[in-house]
Amino acid sequence: MITPSFKVDQDDVSVTIVIKTPYVRAQDVDLHVQNNEFRLFLRPYFLRLYFPGNLVEDDDSKAVYDPSSGEFTVRISKETKGEHFPDLDLLTKLLARRGESTEKTETKKPLIEVIGEQQEMRDELQDAVDFNWELPQELPKDELKLQTSYGFNNQYSGYFTHVQETMNEIIDIDEPEKSSVESRQKDRIEKENYKFDEDYYAMDYVHDEEIQRVMKYKPIWSKELRRIQKLKQTTPNKEASKAPLIQEIGTENIDINLESLAITDHQESLIKFSNKEESMMRGLPHKEYLLSNEKITYLGLVDIMFAYSYNHRISEGDNTVESVWCIGKLSPTMACLEQFTTLRETMIACFRRALAYPLYRHFGLCEKVLQDVYVLFRLGKRAILKALLEMKDMFDHHDVYYIYSKTWLDDYCVWIQHASDHVIRTLAHELHHFVIDKSEIGWDLPELEKIAKELKELEDTNVSHLE
């Protein structure tokens, strides 16, 4: 059966589903609504959605087929009038049925899976409070494992068996399929120390005109956050001029301006999902996760977002042929199969790689990228999902690096739609106040900068004397 393209919208009393089903006999459609479940069957199409709240078929519910556009428009009433259904734009989340798993046979299943509707959801707010991003945890020893595992939730293996023959220039582990958690970290640090070029760093420090231009770039994420902040600042002023929500109605006060009671944001969000992104979400596997280590998963997302934000900034939002390599190489999770247990060790690794590998190697640029990561997390999971989908699209179409979509990005795109808003918010708070000192990087950056500055001053003095 084919899952059709669809969009979902809502108002206070109903949900509207627009389903693309061209070249069908509309009279053969079978629609079913029960509690929070909606099903459409119309050969060869089948669509099943699970909503955050219950629906009910009543006299106001209806379905209309437009043969010219090939679209079914189904309007279904909400059981509780006025209830707001969150996340209706996260299409994979609507498609996912709790307990279903679409894992391929060659992948390793998670250690813990959701097995039924009765599984109780944890208190998200308490989760956010309990997360300590700076408290280290000991990763399990894996010397006794016959086969290593990596990827999202450590559920994959075998993808790097012939890595030497595939011309994979991202991976920084000598023998990925025989590596352990400890050996990966050791390999990463050794490779970074070898790759770091003192002269390159010094030159970028003193001749940073192009880097300063890149640092002034305003990503779309920053513009969206600024738009939201301005909207929040102006909302109280607008509310002050409105009529009270409760008014006494009498013969002398029979005319009420109903428009004054409405609270509407007429400005368009800058991070709406495109048709292509919606199509990608529909194509994602429909599954749900209980993670073996949630903290590692969130921190892995941080380092992937750092790599994405670096590429987004230096390319000024216009990806290049080097973007896939840049993102993969800068992410310790992808390049070294790393797993982190504190935010500090995550950011130190990200900074080190950004100072050792890419075109621009500048500490100030790294700090700017860190701010970009904060903005993404501050905007929430929709912004993060858009960034993940953008990366997935690039990696999917690469002959070698598509394996990173299979092992990380696909799962992150699904999981982020179910991730805790509270935990993401606390992580954004930590990122906003996070400060990393140059001495933590391990390469004596202050001394290099001092020498580079002195040489630059000497060079400028010699030039002025020649003139």
Side-chain angles (χ1 to χ4, degrees):
M1 303 301 291
I2 300 172
T3 300
S5 300
F6 68 95
K7 290 185 178 181
V8 183
D9 201 356
Q10 67 176 320
D11 55 31
D12 289 340
V13 298
S14 65
V15 169
T16 301
I17 312 167
V18 180
I19 310 165
K20 190 78 171 179
T21 55
Y23 316 119
V24 296
R25 290 164 52 90
Q27 59 268 33
D28 295 337
V29 68
D30 181 14
L31 297 173
H32 175 77
V33 177
Q34 183 176 8
N35 297 328
N36 69 328
E37 180 184 359
F38 166 81
R39 288 203 306 265
L40 173 141
F41 175 72
L42 180 59
R43 192 176 298 275
Y45 299 103
F46 177 73
L47 179 65
R48 179 175 58 195
L49 304 176
Y50 288 87
F51 288 90
N54 288 342
L55 304 172
V56 61
E57 287 188 89
D58 57 15
D59 294 339
D60 294 326
S61 301
K62 62 179 181 179
V64 178
Y65 183 69
D66 182 358
S68 61
S69 62
E71 291 181 343
F72 257 108
T73 301
V74 183
R75 186 176 186 270
I76 311 170
S77 298
K78 296 178 179 178
E79 185 176 82
T80 304
K81 308 304 181 186
E83 180 182 4
H84 176 74
F85 288 0
D87 299 340
L88 294 188
D89 55 341
L90 303 182
L91 304 186
T92 311
K93 188 174 181 179
L94 292 177
L95 287 166
R97 179 180 181 181
R98 192 171 300 167
E100 279 191 343
S101 176
T102 57
E103 291 288 341
K104 296 182 179 179
T105 55
E106 70 269 22
T107 61
K108 180 181 177 182
K109 292 185 178 180
L111 297 177
I112 304 174
E113 292 183 334
V114 179
I115 58 174
E117 295 286 349
Q118 302 303 318
Q119 179 72 38
E120 294 185 1
M121 299 299 290
R122 282 169 291 182
D123 186 337
E124 287 189 352
L125 183 57
Q126 188 60 45
D127 282 350
V129 172
D130 291 342
F131 265 95
N132 186 334
W133 300 106
E134 293 304 325
L135 181 65
Q137 295 175 302
E138 184 177 351
L139 293 170
K141 304 292 183 181
D142 53 4
E143 289 87 347
L144 299 179
K145 288 186 178 180
L146 298 178
Q147 188 178 41
T148 191
S149 58
Y150 42 77
F152 185 89
N153 205 27
N154 263 339
Q155 60 183 333
Y156 297 98
S157 61
Y159 279 85
F160 297 102
T161 302
H162 304 289
V163 67
Q164 287 79 13
E165 289 80 14
T166 60
M167 301 297 291
N168 186 330
E169 296 180 357
I170 288 179
I171 194 71
D172 264 351
I173 305 300
D174 294 330
E175 294 183 289
E177 297 299 334
K178 297 180 181 179
S179 63
S180 65
V181 173
E182 294 80 5
S183 69
R184 294 170 193 169
Q185 184 183 59
K186 182 174 179 291
D187 281 354
R188 175 181 65 79
I189 293 174
E190 287 179 354
K191 295 286 177 59
E192 290 166 357
N193 288 338
Y194 175 78
K195 188 66 175 64
F196 179 71
D197 188 324
E198 295 181 350
D199 293 336
Y200 198 122
Y201 179 81
M203 288 295 291
D204 272 3
Y205 177 73
V206 294
H207 299 289
D208 63 346
E209 296 80 7
E210 184 66 17
I211 295 174
Q212 292 297 331
R213 185 188 65 79
V214 169
M215 290 172 63
K216 292 177 182 177
Y217 170 70
K218 298 292 184 185
I220 187 173
W221 318 110
S222 299
K223 295 176 182 177
E224 173 66 4
L225 182 60
R226 184 60 182 157
R227 184 192 74 84
I228 294 173
Q229 290 172 339
K230 284 185 177 179
L231 186 64
K232 288 182 177 179
Q233 291 171 359
T234 57
T235 298
N237 296 330
K238 291 181 180 179
E239 292 300 306
S241 63
K242 291 181 179 180
L245 295 178
I246 301 176
Q247 298 184 25
E248 183 178 351
I249 301 177
T251 55
E252 73 283 359
N253 186 24
I254 197 165
D255 294 325
I256 299 177
N257 182 5
L258 295 179
E259 291 185 359
S260 69
L261 305 182
I263 302 174
T264 308
D265 175 15
H266 295 289
Q267 300 188 49
E268 288 291 321
S269 170
L270 300 177
I271 56 172
K272 283 189 173 182
F273 294 112
S274 65
N275 291 335
K276 180 179 180 180
E277 289 165 340
E278 290 178 348
S279 177
M280 290 176 68
M281 281 191 278
R282 289 191 293 269
L284 291 169
H286 312 152
K287 54 185 176 181
E288 188 175 332
Y289 304 91
L290 275 181
L291 304 175
S292 56
N293 192 316
E294 275 190 295
K295 192 176 181 183
I296 288 176
T297 303
Y298 279 105
L299 292 174
L301 180 64
V302 170
D303 97 49
I304 291 175
M305 287 297 106
F306 184 93
Y308 166 83
S309 298
Y310 180 96
N311 173 74
H312 186 83
R313 177 166 287 278
I314 67 167
S315 65
E316 299 184 57
D318 189 10
N319 294 315
T320 69
V321 293
E322 295 294 328
S323 291
V324 174
W325 175 88
C326 180
I327 293 170
K329 200 68 173 179
L330 263 59
S331 167
T333 290
M334 291 184 175
C336 305
L337 317 182
E338 269 269 35
Q339 298 177 6
F340 299 105
T341 60
T342 71
L343 181 60
R344 183 157 298 277
E345 66 178 4
T346 305
M347 296 316 307
I348 289 174
C350 290
F351 271 54
R352 281 172 60 90
R353 299 192 72 78
L355 295 175
Y357 290 97
L359 176 62
Y360 300 129
R361 306 175 189 179
H362 192 277
F363 194 86
L365 177 59
C366 291
E367 292 179 317
K368 198 70 176 178
V369 172
L370 175 57
Q371 294 177 21
D372 295 339
V373 178
Y374 153 70
V375 171
L376 277 167
F377 277 81
R378 181 66 180 84
L379 288 173
K381 55 190 177 187
R382 282 169 182 77
I384 296 172
L385 177 57
K386 276 185 71 73
L388 287 168
L389 289 171
E390 182 182 339
M391 286 187 283
K392 171 178 162 55
D393 186 50
M394 288 190 287
F395 279 86
D396 279 350
H397 292 89
H398 196 282
D399 293 341
V400 176
Y401 302 141
Y402 70 91
I403 60 174
Y404 293 99
S405 278
K406 302 298 182 185
T407 50
W408 276 283
L409 297 177
D410 285 358
D411 289 296
Y412 265 118
C413 286
V414 176
W415 168 79
I416 192 62
Q417 299 182 51
H418 303 267
S420 166
D421 290 316
H422 299 293
V423 175
I424 291 174
R425 201 171 298 125
T426 61
L427 189 47
H429 176 79
E430 293 293 327
L431 288 166
H432 188 45
H433 296 89
F434 189 87
V435 177
I436 187 168
D437 192 84
K438 293 177 182 179
S439 61
E440 297 179 83
I441 303 301
W443 291 324
D444 202 5
L445 301 183
E447 183 64 22
L448 290 175
E449 293 172 0
K450 179 182 177 182
I451 295 173
K453 190 175 181 180
E454 291 174 352
L455 291 175
K456 179 67 165 58
E457 291 173 352
L458 180 61
E459 178 185 328
D460 293 342
T461 302
N462 292 336
V463 170
S464 63
H465 286 164
L466 290 174
E467 292 176 350

